[in-house]
Amino acid sequence: MPSELESARTQVRTLVVTGLGLNCEEETAQGFRMCGAHVDLVHLGDLLDDPRGRRLSDYHILSLVGGFAFGDHIAAGVVYANRLRYRALDSLLRFVDDGGLVLGICNGFQTMVKLGLVPALDGRYATQQATLAANDRLGYRDAWITVRAEPRSPCVWTRGFDLMDLPSRHGEGKFIAESPEVLARIEAEHLVALRYVDDRGQPTQAWPANPSGSTNAIAGICDPSGRLLGLMPHPDAFLYGFSHPSWPRRKLRGSLPAQGDGVRIFQNGVDHVARKLSGSRETV
Amino acid sequence: MTVRIEVGYRAGVQDPRGLATLDTIRSFLGIPATNVRSFDVYLVDAALSEQEAEAVRRHVTDPVTQRSALDRLAPEPFDFVIAVGFRPGVTDAVGKSALALVRDLLARPLEPQAAVYTSRLYFVSGVDRQQATAISEGLLANALIERFEIADRDQYLASPPDTSVPAIRTSHVPSVQSIDLSGDDEALVRISRERILSLGLDEMRAIRDFFARPEVTARRAQLSLTRDPTDVELECLAQTWSEHCKHKIFNATIEYREPGREPVTFTSLFKTHIRDATERIRQQQLEQRGSSWLVSVFHDNAGVVAFDDAVHVVYKVETHNSPSALDPYGGAMTGIVGVNRDPFGTGLGADLLYNVWGYCFADPHHDGPVPRGLMHPRRIRDGVHRGVIEGGNQSGIPYGRGWEIFDERFLGKPLVFCGTVGRMPVTSAGRPTHTKAARPGDRIVMCGGRIGKDGIHGATFSSAGLDESSPVQAVQIGDPITQKKMFDFLLEAREQGLYDAITDNGAGGLSSSVGELCTSSGGARLDLSRAPLKYAGLDPWEILISEAQERMTLAVAPDKLPALLRLAQRREVEATDLGEFTDSGELLVTYGDRTVASLPLDFLHEGLPALHLTATWSPPLHPDPVLPPDLDHGALLEALLRNPNLASNEKKSRHYDHEVKGLTVVRPFVGASNDMPSDASVFLVRHGSREGVVLSEGINPFLSDIDTRWMTASVIDEAVRKAVGAGGRLDHMAGLDNYCWPDPVRSDKTPDGEYKLAQLVRSTAALSEFCQAYGVPCISGKDSMKNDSTMGGVKISIPPTLLFSVVAKIEEVTLAVTMDVKQPGALVYLLGVTRDELGASALYRHLGAIGTSVPRLDPSETIPLYQAVQRAIREQLLESCHAPTRGGLAVALARTAMGGELGIDVDLDLDPHARALDTAAALFAESNGRFVVTLAPDKSAAFEACLAGCAFARIGTVTAARSLRVRHGSALSIDADLRRLKAAWKETLDAV
């Protein structure tokens, strides 16, 4: 017999938006499916005007996936965020208002920041308050890094773990707040959900552990509600134990799990919704 | 009205592009510039109100880090400014996205010709005008596609902002010419040369004779066509008959001569040595197991092999050498996005899974002269990497394999290999996905990008050597996002069964795509006036053969057309009905009402006269060097690891995504710090399954200096061995052959053509022999036969080069074994036979010699060993497995130890074969068929039982101390600090 939580998970409706140069939809959908959620992949064009009548409000979770929407031309996420701003802002704001969850990974995070979905201080959800600028070392780079989940963050996606290894794959991931005051408030309100750490587990500005030179080692930011998370590294690329570069050594030590750590982030979001759906009390 | 917007970084905010440019100016050009700041410029060519212009400015400016202005943004102090923009007609992908932004923002219709043009400004301090010019020409602008202007501070501030846009505005009225072929042979040759047809005299005569046939003349009169061929017809024939498309040399009749032997005649190396070998392997599979996993080989754009019940695996590797020589960035980018279209255009189309790349360059540290018209190899290397990085990353396809080879003979033409593995469902919309056929009545639909003059004569131009008259329009720039949108659309259309056939528009453009697809229906009627153009003024022949990128051609049943066009529109992809597939037996091309070409398919595809060539082999004589008795083997090892051919290229490689799709299991770099090249990469094919594929490759053009037969045997063995050692199944492994040769046809320009052709014959014969021996069939391949350059009066020919790529199945991806040692105390084994085979080795080349003792291959010795290694991997006995290749055993031991960040202590006297050799040969011979493996001591009995009957020796142990100690001839030959070796190994290419 599936537990109440398990059956509630199948009721969690997740929307993965595709198209226009995005490319991480398959693995992101797989991540949510591994957590038991129902996933629909919908092209942005159909979300704006769906012949089958699907709407954002039909879903509990919106996933903005990684990729190169519009080639990251002008700056990463800008053209895509602009399209959402001018063609879907009302439904997005309503979705957030109604308690929806948003997970933006890499290009999705860039889009969220430029659209103003995070950090959204004072609940100003369509105002850009920060940016993700070009990495200090120019160019896209793919290498694994380690992030630390900030325990005091309200983020619902990053609970129950301390350190996590994930691949970092981007050219524009340096978080810069609009002003020192904005940065101070982000820190004071614990909106930093994830930070890059060195091999002692301490936040670092040093490359390559901090791949971009990101301010305060910020790797992921949430909104004040904690339901909206944007992060640069890719939990969607760590779905299996053997996705980790060190899996052959882990296997030799007898410690190769079937599931990758990245799934925990998806599971947190799915279970957050599932608990609400099943009416059980949320445990933090 | 044109709005000019300039965007730069705020004071105090780092400008990473400016800093990177400054670094390259100083380190590569050696110019002591002190500062570089860059601006992005957008020219919006549309009627905007002041408020609208201001809104656009705001939206292209990052509010946190940037500042901007309409017209001109005040620069910080500088000495010279360099403005770099595209030439008219060159693809401006950023401009295209910016236009999408403008449209979304304004939410009102813009005029149809509205466009955004982008350019860049570089403000440079610490240079004079001459240096600014050198920076522009040598780094910032490629004159083929870009133009630049230089101004000093006073000039710049005194001049008005430049609002001229590189639009193509022409008054040319498209027309069709007839070409008079009645002249003598000389005239025919001149027509071929002047029009860049790359057709030989025999071919020109065949075309002339065809058009003189009475039945042809009569048919043409009916169609109101001139008696003489039109330019559309001649150009179409030239594309279809090009070396690039028809592989004339691989299909030629060749008389092969060798001293002391009777001449042998081959009718088509392709058929006898490649296709027939694969067919024999298919028969073998059928006899031995009752079925074959070969699904579709050689006749489509890529090879297809069975993987599991749900999906097939598709693979193709291509080269894009000539375009990459002229415009490294654009040429290489179209190399990768172009080869993506091959699996996509196979059967009804494949999902794209992983890319591979490999490059042959001259040394980027080259400090000798560079012939006029050629680029410095460092600039070529930087541009090629950047093009494939951006093309692959933006397409969302990880890379699986990447390698670089360096030799001065690649100064004239770099080799740029790009490949793509795809996955196709066994069935889609109820039909087998691996087959396709256009049916009479189906519509010809072109989708994706528009047609421009870019890429005209690409196929015929790549079928000729590179010289000063090479056409600039042969260079295309890729636009990966346009292609990605098209692929997303087509996958949906495939699953809905909206088309019957698909192929890509690559070499030869529409002439090839429609020309090939219509062979299944039996004809086509194509109206070029319907084709969407980037700008007006193209002549019909240009529309027909343009190689403008990001286009696929479909055959669509008339009742499916509305649904297909509707879906295209929803996905923001242009799709256009250009005519109809017929069964008329001819390719009929119209331009509106006027018929401009009528070519019977049998003449188009079979009318090409066969080529007759002679090949003459004479073994080259390169004396073996006499090695000094006091060689310092440790120092030699360090020198080899510093050689760019063996050095780490991780710095460039990290810029390529290798994780997107989440299917990656064994990466291109492995080890304790993930910095050592893996022997083979392993990927899942789909989520939810634990079966995967193993990818590896073999390449060693240096061995061609002795004998291409053994070069070929060695690269096949290298690829197979690396895949087997990683866990790939030898009985489910397919190969791809990519030939890059210097012109092998004897002529005034190529007096040694018969020798080069003999090298080719020896290579394909070996390919046939050893592929059959291993049971590894070639499923697809490509040849590029004119890799010579004559620039500034200097002829440079590449060494004959064969890339052999393999894809193998692995049942359970966590059985895979990586090349790095894992634990101290593990036992080190050497498997296989080390022989006195130093010919053309890394050691000999380091010592300035070639020698004669080329590595050979005896499959009766290697196959049992490979089967034994497979058993050991299946039983999970091995901790690491590494195949020694270039650099021999010493380099292999160093690599496997450096990868694991541990040490190795071995005594080669424990191996009877190595003991019998000179120390130099024992350490550095590049004998095939060998592995270095490590395993836990408690596994040794089971392992040795696996190896019964094979040559092997337990030679030492893995140590915690990070040193490499190798004994031979009762002496300690190498005692090296591995930290130091690793630093040396990284230094060479990290510096450029």
Side-chain angles (χ1 to χ4, degrees), chain B residues 412-413 464-467 741-744 750 756 785-790 795-798:
Chain B
K413 234 189 208 187
L466 204 58
D467 61 36
W741 232 247
D743 187 358
T750 311
K756 289 170 173 166
M785 305 304 289
K786 308 271 172 171
N787 292 292
D788 310 272
S789 126
T790 311
K795 177 171 177 179
I796 307 176
S797 296
I798 65 156

Side-chain angles (χ1 to χ4, degrees), chain B residues 8 57 90 255 287 329 365 391 399 653 700 715 717 761 774 793 888 950:
Chain B
R57 181 197 65 75
V90 175
E255 185 179 295
E287 282 159 24
Y329 170 73
H365 306 84
Y399 92 102
S653 303
N700 195 337
V715 301
D717 181 67
V761 174
Y774 279 140
C950 300

Side-chain angles (χ1 to χ4, degrees), chain A residues 18-27 30 43-47 49-51 67-75 78-79 82-83 85-87 114 128-144 167 169 174 176-179 234 236-237 239-240 242-249 251-253 256 258, chain B residues 9 13-14 16-17 20 40 42 59-65 93-94 97-98 100-102 104-105 351 389 393-397 423 479 481 484-485 488 492 570-572 650 654-662 664-667 671-672 674 684 687-690 813-818 820-823 876 879 899-901:
Chain A
T18 69
L20 305 175
L22 297 174
N23 56 41
C24 295
E25 61 270 16
E26 261 196 58
E27 58 269 41
Q30 174 72 8
H43 193 281
L44 180 66
D46 286 348
L47 188 64
D49 165 28
D50 188 10
F68 280 83
F70 292 99
D72 279 359
H73 299 143
I74 300 175
V78 160
V79 183
N82 188 66
R83 175 154 299 183
R85 179 186 303 278
Y86 289 98
R87 296 179 56 186
K114 287 169 187 180
Q128 184 175 345
Q129 298 168 337
T131 198
L132 288 162
N135 298 351
D136 283 351
R137 296 198 184 199
L138 189 67
Y140 190 95
R141 193 167 188 274
D142 180 345
W144 282 60
R169 299 156 27 201
K174 180 181 181 177
I176 305 176
E178 187 180 55
S179 65
H234 282 268
D236 50 319
L239 300 181
Y240 313 107
F242 54 75
S243 305
H244 193 284
S246 293
W247 73 260
R249 284 181 168 68
K251 182 185 170 194
L252 213 55
R253 289 198 304 263
L256 181 61
Chain B
Y9 283 98
V13 175
Q14 192 172 310
R17 184 175 60 194
D40 287 312
Y42 302 89
H59 281 74
V60 298
T61 309
D62 188 278
V64 179
T65 58
V94 180
S97 296
L101 177 135
V102 173
D104 286 342
L105 166 66
D351 311 51
I389 287 166
N393 291 357
Q394 293 186 19
S395 303
I397 304 170
R423 160 191 74 198
D479 176 6
I481 291 310
K484 174 77 175 136
K485 282 158 62 180
D488 288 351
E492 286 188 71
R570 294 188 65 82
R571 298 295 174 251
E572 299 173 51
E650 187 194 357
R654 285 272 163 208
H655 292 290
Y656 296 77
D657 194 303
H658 58 262
E659 320 251 2
V660 57
K661 296 185 187 295
T664 311
V665 182
V666 175
R667 291 163 176 72
N674 305 305
L684 294 176
H687 288 287
S689 160
R690 292 174 72 98
V813 290
T814 58
L815 287 177
V817 177
T818 57
D820 48 308
V821 301
K822 306 288 188 306
Q823 309 196 84
Q876 310 198 50
E879 290 186 0
E901 295 181 350

Side-chain angles (χ1 to χ4, degrees), chain B residues 430-477:
Chain B
R431 304 168 298 179
T433 313
H434 70 277
T435 59
K436 63 182 159 199
R439 294 178 297 194
D442 278 357
R443 305 305 303 176
I444 302 170
V445 176
M446 184 186 93
C447 62
R450 297 184 147 224
I451 297 177
K453 294 198 184 201
D454 35 344
I456 282 177
H457 285 144
T460 51
F461 148 68
S462 72
S463 306
L466 204 58
D467 61 36
E468 272 106 325
S469 68
S470 299
V472 300
Q473 68 271 40
V475 176
Q476 319 97 335
I477 307 254

Side-chain angles (χ1 to χ4, degrees), chain A residues 217-229:
Chain A
I218 291 171
I221 288 273
C222 65
D223 75 326
S225 80
R227 287 179 285 111
L228 277 55
L229 170 68

